[in-house]
Amino acid sequence: MNPIPIIVDCDPGIDDTIALLAAFVSPELNILGITPVCGNQPLERTVRNALQVCELGGRTDIPVYAGCFRPMLREPIHGQFHGSTGLGHTTLPEPKKTVETMSAVDFLLEAFGAAAEKGERITLCCLGPLTNVAVALRMKPQLVDGIERIVMMGGAYREPGNRTMTSEFNVLADPHAAHVVFSSGVPIVALALDATHQVMLRPEHVAEFFRVSGRISETLAALMAFWDRNDVRRYGSRGGPLHDPLVIAYLLAPDLFQTEKAHIFVEYESELCMGQTIADWYGKSGQAPNADIVTKVDADGVIALFLERLGRYAEKAAA
Ligand code: BDR
Ligand code: CA
């Protein structure tokens, strides 16, 4: 089978990093580019982190394009669980490669435009605030013709928010961008907190990942250990939710996920509920569904998948 062409839009970030490392060793995926955005950290840092993760993963062949330095309208907010550099206490290798001169938005326009012209489509993996994608869609709505679908981490439906009472970080960080994306007509698979809170990376998993992952084991285990929220009251166990990597898991093993169709709305006016994502589960709005929302995840299956994938670094030599 031909590999799925993907672009990874992200804001690394600890869980973005785990997602990238898993994608790097998955031949089912052809990563055409990485487009960091302002999110967990300011843009300058998410770009640097993306370059460092490419270095660590031995994938300096993948181009990195810098995205938007702030959200469409609101002031930037940054992640609270990723440490001061965005990568916990780890020190990743200095990047030898540099960021491309083309901007992320221009790259998205070019890549999706070229795909559409050839009658092909690229899957867009969104692991951060949706600013880059929304700006590209605002510049050229025909972009949708080159997008197979967006598989995104963001939002909270039956779950409460993680950054505010109602809202998940990626959507809250740029609710206007999320509104543009959900209104675009692009098919969307939404992995929200409802899904990601089902897959907790517990201390015993961290020990397993350390055991199997060869040359990246120390860095990976340090990233994962930093991710532990230690909030049993909220999550029912120690550990941290495996948010962004689920996007990659969904592409590799969709059978591990169950979805329900619904129309998703984004609140971008009320300060109390800013960034809330609302799913019309029962057709109250009269709007056709615009997304497949993941409602159930086989958590053991996902952990096993990532153990197998990240275990590939035990064999893989640095590039
Ligand atoms: C999302 O917020 C970020 O901090 C994580 O990287 C993830 O993309 C979870 O709400
Ligand atoms: Ca992220």
Side-chain angles (χ1 to χ4, degrees):
M1 210 174 88
N2 287 337
I4 307 169
I6 66 169
I7 293 171
V8 185
D9 191 70
C10 55
D11 60 337
I14 290 178
D15 57 329
D16 306 73
T17 297
I18 300 168
L20 285 168
L21 288 170
F24 287 169
V25 285
S26 295
E28 301 91 331
L29 307 175
N30 176 16
I31 310 172
L32 304 177
I34 298 173
T35 53
V37 68
C38 168
N40 281 320
Q41 289 281 312
L43 180 70
E44 201 183 341
R45 179 55 80 164
T46 59
V47 168
R48 177 176 159 77
N49 289 351
L51 293 169
Q52 286 189 290
V53 177
C54 290
E55 202 77 38
L56 174 72
R59 290 302 306 269
T60 49
D61 56 304
I62 302 172
V64 174
Y65 303 88
C68 297
F69 73 96
R70 53 173 296 146
M72 292 181 92
L73 294 179
R74 290 176 66 81
E75 290 300 314
I77 58 168
H78 301 302
Q80 293 174 321
F81 299 103
H82 304 259
S84 59
T85 66
L87 298 176
H89 293 313
T90 58
T91 309
L92 265 58
E94 273 306 302
K96 287 190 214 78
K97 83 194 238 102
T98 52
V99 67
E100 303 297 317
T101 48
M102 183 186 276
S103 76
V105 171
D106 284 332
F107 169 65
L108 294 174
L109 292 170
E110 188 178 278
F112 289 113
E117 263 175 35
K118 288 188 272 174
E120 295 171 1
R121 285 169 188 259
I122 299 166
T123 296
L124 185 51
C125 301
C126 295
L127 314 182
L130 293 161
T131 320
N132 292 340
V133 183
V135 171
L137 283 166
R138 278 296 190 246
M139 289 189 72
K140 216 172 171 189
Q142 306 89 303
L143 202 73
V144 299
D145 298 335
I147 305 179
E148 173 70 20
R149 61 183 171 175
I150 291 176
V151 183
M152 60 163 288
M153 190 283 131
Y157 299 97
R158 293 172 170 132
E159 280 280 298
N162 61 357
R163 184 58 176 255
T164 66
M165 292 175 288
T166 59
S167 306
E168 180 278 332
F169 174 80
N170 286 341
V171 177
L172 178 67
D174 198 341
H176 301 92
H179 170 72
V180 169
V181 170
F182 282 116
S183 314
S184 67
V186 176
I188 293 173
V189 176
L191 286 142
L193 299 184
D194 311 51
T196 66
H197 285 180
Q198 294 177 38
V199 190
M200 294 298 292
L201 194 60
R202 296 196 300 267
E204 59 270 31
H205 298 137
V206 177
E208 274 289 278
F209 279 102
F210 178 70
R211 195 177 60 75
V212 302
S213 56
R215 65 179 186 79
I216 67 161
S217 60
E218 296 211 352
T219 307
L220 186 65
L223 287 169
M224 290 177 163
F226 194 93
W227 198 236
D228 189 345
R229 301 283 196 280
N230 203 2
D231 188 350
V232 178
R233 188 173 73 99
R234 170 144 200 197
Y235 296 112
S237 76
R238 283 274 309 274
L242 206 56
H243 300 297
D244 294 340
L246 289 198
V247 168
I248 303 303
Y250 183 87
L251 292 177
L252 296 174
D255 292 351
L256 299 176
F257 298 82
Q258 288 175 29
T259 59
E260 281 180 46
K261 288 191 184 301
H263 193 98
I264 294 172
F265 297 87
V266 180
E267 175 58 61
Y268 55 85
E269 286 176 338
S270 145
E271 276 305 323
L272 178 63
C273 301
M274 183 63 71
Q276 183 173 11
T277 44
I278 300 115
D280 183 9
W281 300 109
Y282 304 112
K284 299 288 183 198
S285 67
Q287 306 268 338
N290 58 3
D292 291 300
I293 303 176
V294 174
T295 49
K296 184 119 191 49
V297 188
D298 175 347
D300 291 343
V302 167
I303 296 285
L305 173 70
F306 284 123
L307 279 168
E308 188 275 317
R309 291 297 152 142
L310 294 162
R312 295 182 182 189
Y313 285 94
E315 300 120 47
K316 192 172 180 291

PDB file of all heavy atoms in Angstrom, residues 200 225-235 237-240:
ATOM      1  N   MET A 200      -4.266   7.134  29.354  1.00  0.00           N
ATOM      2  CA  MET A 200      -3.342   7.737  30.315  1.00  0.00           C
ATOM      3  C   MET A 200      -1.986   7.049  30.218  1.00  0.00           C
ATOM      4  O   MET A 200      -1.895   5.816  30.225  1.00  0.00           O
ATOM      5  CB  MET A 200      -3.891   7.573  31.735  1.00  0.00           C
ATOM      6  CG  MET A 200      -5.163   8.345  31.998  1.00  0.00           C
ATOM      7  SD  MET A 200      -4.947  10.129  31.831  1.00  0.00           S
ATOM      8  CE  MET A 200      -3.895  10.470  33.235  1.00  0.00           C
ATOM      9  N   ALA A 225       7.899  11.202  31.804  1.00  0.00           N
ATOM     10  CA  ALA A 225       7.800  11.348  33.258  1.00  0.00           C
ATOM     11  C   ALA A 225       7.381  12.777  33.610  1.00  0.00           C
ATOM     12  O   ALA A 225       6.594  13.007  34.527  1.00  0.00           O
ATOM     13  CB  ALA A 225       9.127  10.998  33.915  1.00  0.00           C
ATOM     14  N   PHE A 226       7.874  13.743  32.851  1.00  0.00           N
ATOM     15  CA  PHE A 226       7.509  15.149  33.094  1.00  0.00           C
ATOM     16  C   PHE A 226       6.017  15.368  32.847  1.00  0.00           C
ATOM     17  O   PHE A 226       5.406  16.263  33.402  1.00  0.00           O
ATOM     18  CB  PHE A 226       8.328  16.045  32.156  1.00  0.00           C
ATOM     19  CG  PHE A 226       8.297  17.504  32.531  1.00  0.00           C
ATOM     20  CD1 PHE A 226       9.286  18.029  33.347  1.00  0.00           C
ATOM     21  CD2 PHE A 226       7.292  18.347  32.082  1.00  0.00           C
ATOM     22  CE1 PHE A 226       9.274  19.379  33.703  1.00  0.00           C
ATOM     23  CE2 PHE A 226       7.267  19.687  32.427  1.00  0.00           C
ATOM     24  CZ  PHE A 226       8.258  20.206  33.243  1.00  0.00           C
ATOM     25  N   TRP A 227       5.452  14.521  32.007  1.00  0.00           N
ATOM     26  CA  TRP A 227       4.054  14.652  31.567  1.00  0.00           C
ATOM     27  C   TRP A 227       3.055  14.208  32.647  1.00  0.00           C
ATOM     28  O   TRP A 227       1.863  14.437  32.532  1.00  0.00           O
ATOM     29  CB  TRP A 227       3.888  13.828  30.294  1.00  0.00           C
ATOM     30  CG  TRP A 227       2.704  14.140  29.447  1.00  0.00           C
ATOM     31  CD1 TRP A 227       1.735  13.260  29.055  1.00  0.00           C
ATOM     32  CD2 TRP A 227       2.351  15.395  28.865  1.00  0.00           C
ATOM     33  NE1 TRP A 227       0.803  13.891  28.281  1.00  0.00           N
ATOM     34  CE2 TRP A 227       1.158  15.214  28.148  1.00  0.00           C
ATOM     35  CE3 TRP A 227       2.913  16.677  28.899  1.00  0.00           C
ATOM     36  CZ2 TRP A 227       0.522  16.243  27.458  1.00  0.00           C
ATOM     37  CZ3 TRP A 227       2.281  17.702  28.212  1.00  0.00           C
ATOM     38  CH2 TRP A 227       1.113  17.486  27.502  1.00  0.00           C
ATOM     39  N   ASP A 228       3.551  13.521  33.687  1.00  0.00           N
ATOM     40  CA  ASP A 228       2.656  12.973  34.727  1.00  0.00           C
ATOM     41  C   ASP A 228       1.989  14.109  35.500  1.00  0.00           C
ATOM     42  O   ASP A 228       2.660  14.904  36.154  1.00  0.00           O
ATOM     43  CB  ASP A 228       3.479  12.090  35.680  1.00  0.00           C
ATOM     44  CG  ASP A 228       2.599  11.303  36.646  1.00  0.00           C
ATOM     45  OD1 ASP A 228       1.401  11.643  36.779  1.00  0.00           O
ATOM     46  OD2 ASP A 228       3.121  10.352  37.257  1.00  0.00           O
ATOM     47  N   ARG A 229       0.656  14.179  35.416  1.00  0.00           N
ATOM     48  CA  ARG A 229      -0.072  15.254  36.108  1.00  0.00           C
ATOM     49  C   ARG A 229      -0.202  14.985  37.608  1.00  0.00           C
ATOM     50  O   ARG A 229      -0.556  15.848  38.374  1.00  0.00           O
ATOM     51  CB  ARG A 229      -1.496  15.408  35.560  1.00  0.00           C
ATOM     52  CG  ARG A 229      -1.579  15.705  34.123  1.00  0.00           C
ATOM     53  CD  ARG A 229      -1.245  17.182  33.890  1.00  0.00           C
ATOM     54  NE  ARG A 229      -1.678  17.546  32.564  1.00  0.00           N
ATOM     55  CZ  ARG A 229      -1.007  17.275  31.468  1.00  0.00           C
ATOM     56  NH1 ARG A 229       0.145  16.665  31.533  1.00  0.00           N
ATOM     57  NH2 ARG A 229      -1.474  17.629  30.289  1.00  0.00           N
ATOM     58  N   ASN A 230      -0.026  13.709  37.977  1.00  0.00           N
ATOM     59  CA  ASN A 230      -0.198  13.322  39.379  1.00  0.00           C
ATOM     60  C   ASN A 230      -1.551  13.815  39.917  1.00  0.00           C
ATOM     61  O   ASN A 230      -1.624  14.310  41.031  1.00  0.00           O
ATOM     62  CB  ASN A 230       0.972  13.866  40.204  1.00  0.00           C
ATOM     63  CG  ASN A 230       1.168  13.074  41.477  1.00  0.00           C
ATOM     64  OD1 ASN A 230       0.454  12.100  41.722  1.00  0.00           O
ATOM     65  ND2 ASN A 230       2.098  13.489  42.294  1.00  0.00           N
ATOM     66  N   ASP A 231      -2.583  13.677  39.126  1.00  0.00           N
ATOM     67  CA  ASP A 231      -3.909  14.176  39.516  1.00  0.00           C
ATOM     68  C   ASP A 231      -4.913  13.015  39.440  1.00  0.00           C
ATOM     69  O   ASP A 231      -5.710  12.915  38.509  1.00  0.00           O
ATOM     70  CB  ASP A 231      -4.309  15.322  38.577  1.00  0.00           C
ATOM     71  CG  ASP A 231      -5.577  16.020  39.040  1.00  0.00           C
ATOM     72  OD1 ASP A 231      -6.246  15.502  39.965  1.00  0.00           O
ATOM     73  OD2 ASP A 231      -5.909  17.072  38.467  1.00  0.00           O
ATOM     74  N   VAL A 232      -4.826  12.150  40.439  1.00  0.00           N
ATOM     75  CA  VAL A 232      -5.662  10.943  40.443  1.00  0.00           C
ATOM     76  C   VAL A 232      -7.141  11.323  40.529  1.00  0.00           C
ATOM     77  O   VAL A 232      -8.001  10.690  39.929  1.00  0.00           O
ATOM     78  CB  VAL A 232      -5.258  10.020  41.609  1.00  0.00           C
ATOM     79  CG1 VAL A 232      -6.144   8.782  41.661  1.00  0.00           C
ATOM     80  CG2 VAL A 232      -3.790   9.611  41.464  1.00  0.00           C
ATOM     81  N   ARG A 233      -7.430  12.404  41.259  1.00  0.00           N
ATOM     82  CA  ARG A 233      -8.830  12.805  41.418  1.00  0.00           C
ATOM     83  C   ARG A 233      -9.457  13.084  40.049  1.00  0.00           C
ATOM     84  O   ARG A 233     -10.559  12.664  39.749  1.00  0.00           O
ATOM     85  CB  ARG A 233      -8.915  14.067  42.290  1.00  0.00           C
ATOM     86  CG  ARG A 233     -10.336  14.438  42.677  1.00  0.00           C
ATOM     87  CD  ARG A 233     -10.332  15.582  43.671  1.00  0.00           C
ATOM     88  NE  ARG A 233      -9.993  16.839  43.042  1.00  0.00           N
ATOM     89  CZ  ARG A 233     -10.882  17.748  42.666  1.00  0.00           C
ATOM     90  NH1 ARG A 233     -12.157  17.547  42.870  1.00  0.00           N
ATOM     91  NH2 ARG A 233     -10.505  18.880  42.092  1.00  0.00           N
ATOM     92  N   ARG A 234      -8.686  13.759  39.204  1.00  0.00           N
ATOM     93  CA  ARG A 234      -9.259  14.091  37.899  1.00  0.00           C
ATOM     94  C   ARG A 234      -9.227  12.920  36.915  1.00  0.00           C
ATOM     95  O   ARG A 234     -10.184  12.676  36.189  1.00  0.00           O
ATOM     96  CB  ARG A 234      -8.506  15.278  37.285  1.00  0.00           C
ATOM     97  CG  ARG A 234      -8.915  15.482  35.841  1.00  0.00           C
ATOM     98  CD  ARG A 234      -8.986  16.880  35.389  1.00  0.00           C
ATOM     99  NE  ARG A 234      -9.835  16.929  34.194  1.00  0.00           N
ATOM    100  CZ  ARG A 234      -9.878  17.917  33.355  1.00  0.00           C
ATOM    101  NH1 ARG A 234      -9.168  18.984  33.590  1.00  0.00           N
ATOM    102  NH2 ARG A 234     -10.662  17.875  32.307  1.00  0.00           N
ATOM    103  N   TYR A 235      -8.098  12.210  36.859  1.00  0.00           N
ATOM    104  CA  TYR A 235      -7.921  11.232  35.767  1.00  0.00           C
ATOM    105  C   TYR A 235      -8.162   9.787  36.191  1.00  0.00           C
ATOM    106  O   TYR A 235      -8.151   8.895  35.357  1.00  0.00           O
ATOM    107  CB  TYR A 235      -6.522  11.364  35.173  1.00  0.00           C
ATOM    108  CG  TYR A 235      -6.295  12.715  34.523  1.00  0.00           C
ATOM    109  CD1 TYR A 235      -5.408  13.634  35.075  1.00  0.00           C
ATOM    110  CD2 TYR A 235      -6.986  13.079  33.378  1.00  0.00           C
ATOM    111  CE1 TYR A 235      -5.210  14.875  34.492  1.00  0.00           C
ATOM    112  CE2 TYR A 235      -6.799  14.323  32.792  1.00  0.00           C
ATOM    113  CZ  TYR A 235      -5.905  15.204  33.356  1.00  0.00           C
ATOM    114  OH  TYR A 235      -5.721  16.423  32.771  1.00  0.00           O
ATOM    115  N   SER A 237      -6.163   7.930  37.730  1.00  0.00           N
ATOM    116  CA  SER A 237      -4.882   7.242  37.902  1.00  0.00           C
ATOM    117  C   SER A 237      -3.776   8.284  37.800  1.00  0.00           C
ATOM    118  O   SER A 237      -4.018   9.414  37.359  1.00  0.00           O
ATOM    119  CB  SER A 237      -4.667   6.179  36.821  1.00  0.00           C
ATOM    120  OG  SER A 237      -4.304   6.780  35.609  1.00  0.00           O
ATOM    121  N   ARG A 238      -2.564   7.904  38.217  1.00  0.00           N
ATOM    122  CA  ARG A 238      -1.391   8.732  37.935  1.00  0.00           C
ATOM    123  C   ARG A 238      -1.204   8.802  36.429  1.00  0.00           C
ATOM    124  O   ARG A 238      -1.739   8.000  35.688  1.00  0.00           O
ATOM    125  CB  ARG A 238      -0.148   8.076  38.549  1.00  0.00           C
ATOM    126  CG  ARG A 238       0.022   8.222  40.040  1.00  0.00           C
ATOM    127  CD  ARG A 238       0.737   9.516  40.409  1.00  0.00           C
ATOM    128  NE  ARG A 238       1.986   9.746  39.682  1.00  0.00           N
ATOM    129  CZ  ARG A 238       3.178   9.273  40.042  1.00  0.00           C
ATOM    130  NH1 ARG A 238       3.291   8.536  41.134  1.00  0.00           N
ATOM    131  NH2 ARG A 238       4.251   9.555  39.322  1.00  0.00           N
ATOM    132  N   GLY A 239      -0.377   9.733  35.988  1.00  0.00           N
ATOM    133  CA  GLY A 239      -0.013   9.789  34.575  1.00  0.00           C
ATOM    134  C   GLY A 239      -0.547  11.025  33.876  1.00  0.00           C
ATOM    135  O   GLY A 239      -1.121  11.923  34.504  1.00  0.00           O
ATOM    136  N   GLY A 240      -0.313  11.073  32.574  1.00  0.00           N
ATOM    137  CA  GLY A 240      -0.771  12.200  31.763  1.00  0.00           C
ATOM    138  C   GLY A 240      -1.489  11.685  30.527  1.00  0.00           C
ATOM    139  O   GLY A 240      -1.163  10.617  30.009  1.00  0.00           O
TER     140      GLY A 240
END
